[in-house]
Amino acid sequence: MKRYYKGLVYASLLAILSGTNACTNLDETLYNEIDASAYYNNRQEILSAVLRPYTHANAWTAPTGQNGHWRITELSADQLAWPQKGRHGYDDAQWIRLHGHSWSYTENTVWNPYSLMFTGVGFCNNALGDFSRVDFAKAGVSEAEKNAFIAELRVFRAYHYMKLMDMYGNIPIVTTVGTPTSPETRPRAEVFAFVEKELTESVDLLPNLEKKYIGRITKAAGYSMLAELYLNAEVWSGKARWDECIAACDKIISGQTGGLNGAPVLDQDLVSTYNNTNDNSKEILFQLVYDAQLTPTRCGWSGDFYHFNQRFIYDGDANGNNGVVVIPSAYDAFKDTDLRKKQWFLIGPQFYAADPTRPVLGTEEYKDKQLVFVKEIRRASENGTASSMITGEENSGARFNKYRPGRQSETKYWSNDWALYRLSEIYYNKAEALMRKSGGTATAEAVKLVNDVRKRAFSAADFEKEAYTTATLTLDEMLAERGREFIFEGKRRTDLIRFGKFVTASWWDHTPSGDQNKNLYPLPQRQLAANPNLKQNPGYPAQ
């Protein structure tokens, strides 16, 4: 019976991924035929339903090789790009369109994130619907734990809706599997209110963060979501909520929401937050958890980032598609004295980790020559000087090195957790909210918050010159510093929109459109075709 139930649920949820719509084509009859009480007989079976959305989140929240929220958010912004490099990387010009903000509502880069995130909503809705018919006491689950499980699912569902609202704005709100069959588009402000209600009603029913809850939604994660929600409230709802953002940040900073390894504090270096033992970080508030020694899964960033011979650089077992690179202007945004520039990027001649005297060789333009990553994106092997999305070579652009898998011989090889929220972001969120409350001027408290994070990026001597003051920490500088601190972390497009730069600023090979409609992605064409009650976002074809 257990296998029969799980098979039915898995098959019907898989249909969300492969079918024509993510939240409007669920087979309600199939779910009504399942007796939830026949499956949820003990705590472990209940917990398995709570945890199912987490395994799916790997597909869209991190750079794991799919067109999820991470990829579409970063590749449309001003730091990362996937340029064509000789015969590789053109990929039907989808990355060029993302960089140039010329996407179409018919393409998979628009459809896939929508599908993936609404699939996650479906997992949450399915469990919540089942739980309404489960006798928790009979299964050995206390009333308090039952409420915490339900709160966890509601908060995770709200996280999905927050990210959907961020990308698509006006979307359906569905809380019951199969009902309604063709939900209507709801205005973004209404989606915001739904997310806020789900979070505020549930967050204090969650447990505090501690090591046993690693990778799960706790009060620390829930208040981090509220901080993000309120920081972007003016864009997402039309009304600024700076005080509420500050209050959510204060809950976390004060330690009231717990910490992964004791009280939450900033990690003191630039590596331990991201390395393969980052489960010991004191800074991370919510993460995707991986343990490559216990399970066959790991955070597969290699596909997007790694060169065809990159395994030799780390003494690892994975190469990649030689895709995503740091654009020249983003690399130049880091001063040479900024230690993040040295720690978080690969650039220059590359050598074998197992033999530092042996050069790693190229495979394309520099076949049988040493692979030397360079800042510029141009056809240097042909003496080219043009730099654009179609002029790359295999060595073009500084490369991702923020997360490092370690060597294959290491006990925790490639067991890095992917951080979704960390304390640095909470410091920066509060600082920005304080500045916006004061009309864009930095307060002493805002300066201290940013400097507390930033000082680890410089030597003590250099930081004396680099520390911000109330005069030097402007809003433009706040945006630039957020870009430096959170590069590769899937946050840049949202920041650019909040600062009014996404469709107005120029960078590298991007000319601004000035089209405010491009602050939202279109609802996907196949979704519109499947559901006549959806209304397209302004500036895009209705069907």
Side-chain angles (χ1 to χ4, degrees), residues 520-541:
L520 291 178
Y521 289 103
L523 297 186
Q525 185 274 336
R526 68 180 80 180
Q527 198 70 25
L528 294 168
N531 180 0
N533 290 329
L534 294 182
K535 183 180 179 181
Q536 181 60 282
N537 287 325
Y540 295 105

Side-chain angles (χ1 to χ4, degrees), residues 35-97:
D35 181 5
S37 63
Y39 174 68
Y40 298 109
N41 295 312
N42 55 58
R43 183 184 181 280
Q44 188 58 42
E45 290 177 347
I46 290 171
L47 183 60
S48 69
V50 175
L51 297 181
R52 181 61 186 93
Y54 290 95
T55 61
H56 177 71
N58 169 76
W60 64 270
T61 57
T64 53
Q66 298 199 52
N67 281 335
H69 183 275
W70 183 92
R71 187 185 273 178
I72 309 310
T73 292
E74 289 288 12
L75 297 190
S76 61
D78 65 346
Q79 293 183 308
L80 308 180
W82 191 319
Q84 181 180 358
K85 305 176 194 70
R87 62 190 178 117
H88 297 287
Y90 181 72
D91 298 340
D92 195 32
Q94 60 181 318
W95 318 127
I96 296 171
R97 290 193 296 275

Side-chain angles (χ1 to χ4, degrees), residues 481-496:
E481 175 58 18
R482 287 186 70 98
R484 289 185 286 265
E485 180 63 24
F486 303 116
I487 191 167
F488 303 119
E489 295 189 35
K491 304 177 188 295
R492 191 57 176 170
R493 170 186 164 273
T494 308
D495 285 352
L496 288 174

Side-chain angles (χ1 to χ4, degrees), residues 60 155-156 158-160 162-163 199 209 217-229 232 236 252 260 273 281-288 403 418-426 429 482 486 489 491:
W60 64 270
V155 170
F156 208 0
Y159 181 71
H160 286 76
M162 183 169 69
K163 296 303 184 181
L199 291 176
L209 175 61
I217 288 173
T218 63
K219 280 191 179 76
Y223 276 101
S224 296
M225 294 173 198
L226 279 169
E228 180 181 359
L229 184 75
N232 292 285
W236 291 346
I252 298 165
L260 186 60
T273 313
S281 168
K282 291 180 176 292
E283 179 171 330
I284 298 177
L285 302 169
F286 181 40
Q287 65 231 79
L288 297 177
Y403 284 77
W418 186 267
L420 297 175
Y421 289 111
R422 52 191 182 92
L423 190 61
S424 295
E425 182 176 1
I426 303 306
N429 288 357
R482 287 186 70 98
F486 303 116
E489 295 189 35
K491 304 177 188 295

Side-chain angles (χ1 to χ4, degrees), residues 367-511:
K367 182 176 173 61
D368 297 329
K369 298 178 182 178
Q370 184 169 23
L371 180 63
V372 181
F373 291 130
V374 297
K375 178 189 75 173
E376 300 300 338
I377 300 172
R378 60 190 179 200
R379 303 291 299 172
S381 65
E382 301 168 353
N383 297 316
T385 57
S387 181
S388 75
M389 284 291 290
I390 61 171
T391 62
E393 296 185 321
E394 66 171 305
N395 66 337
S396 293
R399 303 304 174 98
F400 170 86
N401 198 39
K402 200 170 191 176
Y403 284 77
R404 307 174 199 175
R407 299 176 67 169
Q408 291 184 76
S409 58
E410 294 181 16
T411 302
K412 295 278 286 180
Y413 173 66
W414 216 312
S415 291
N416 317 59
D417 298 340
W418 186 267
L420 297 175
Y421 289 111
R422 52 191 182 92
L423 190 61
S424 295
E425 182 176 1
I426 303 306
Y427 275 44
Y428 279 38
N429 288 357
K430 182 180 179 181
E432 183 183 332
L434 288 168
M435 292 175 69
R436 292 187 183 277
K437 269 194 69 177
S438 64
T441 301
T443 65
E445 184 179 9
V447 169
K448 183 179 186 306
L449 286 164
V450 177
N451 280 338
D452 282 349
V453 176
R454 181 175 161 85
K455 65 183 178 183
R456 65 188 174 191
F458 296 89
S459 69
D462 286 332
F463 189 65
E464 289 184 11
K465 297 171 286 186
E466 297 297 337
Y468 288 126
T469 67
T470 54
T472 58
L473 184 59
T474 63
L475 279 177
D476 281 346
E477 183 57 27
M478 185 76 227
L479 175 62
E481 175 58 18
R482 287 186 70 98
R484 289 185 286 265
E485 180 63 24
F486 303 116
I487 191 167
F488 303 119
E489 295 189 35
K491 304 177 188 295
R492 191 57 176 170
R493 170 186 164 273
T494 308
D495 285 352
L496 288 174
I497 291 172
R498 190 173 64 256
F499 281 81
K501 304 290 188 181
F502 187 64
V503 299
T504 62
S506 301
W507 54 83
W508 184 50
D509 193 25
H510 174 85
T511 301

Side-chain angles (χ1 to χ4, degrees), residues 272-281 284 287 403 416-417:
S272 58
T273 313
Y274 316 102
N275 66 16
N276 60 24
T277 59
N278 65 348
D279 56 319
N280 295 318
S281 168
I284 298 177
Q287 65 231 79
Y403 284 77
N416 317 59
D417 298 340

Side-chain angles (χ1 to χ4, degrees), residues 347-362:
I347 198 161
Q350 301 302 306
F351 296 87
Y352 277 64
D355 180 0
T357 67
R358 182 181 178 187
V360 175
L361 303 181

